[in-house]
Amino acid sequence: MVFILCCLMTNFMSNTATTALMAPICLSIAQGMGADPRAVLMACVIGGSCAYATPIGMPANTMVVGAGNYKFMDYATIVSMIILPIAFPFYPA
């Protein structure tokens, strides 16, 4: 959820502002869950940098979406959602 929230927010705010706003909240969430804070913060950081992967987050992407006949789902960032829990497990052994 942190990743998705940061992905959404960074389309309307800068990635720096999104990460600065969400980092303390993410730390609190991680502590409340008993999860590794690094994993939750990585979800925040990577999610906060995903604006480049949507047509509304970057002006260049907005310009080519019509010319290239792209759809919004062509920009989906499913790979990050799969790799994050593998690279940064929430509950390390």
Side-chain angles (χ1 to χ4, degrees):
M1 285 310 297
V2 166
F3 177 79
I4 293 169
L5 183 61
C6 288
C7 279
L8 292 173
M9 289 176 62
T10 194
N11 286 304
F12 305 103
M13 307 169 54
S14 73
N15 61 338
T16 307
T18 298
T19 304
L21 177 70
M22 290 299 296
I25 296 168
C26 292
L27 281 174
S28 177
I29 290 170
Q31 290 171 347
M33 290 176 29
D36 185 6
R38 294 176 295 177
V40 180
L41 285 174
M42 283 306 293
C44 175
V45 169
I46 293 173
S49 298
C50 280
Y52 69 88
T54 63
I56 59 173
M58 296 291 291
N61 290 352
T62 305
M63 293 187 317
V64 299
V65 75
N69 200 22
Y70 294 113
K71 299 176 204 70
F72 189 84
M73 288 309 294
D74 292 335
Y75 291 89
T77 58
I78 302 300
V79 174
S80 293
M81 293 177 67
I82 295 169
I83 298 294
L84 270 170
I86 295 169
F88 298 94
F90 289 115
Y91 303 102

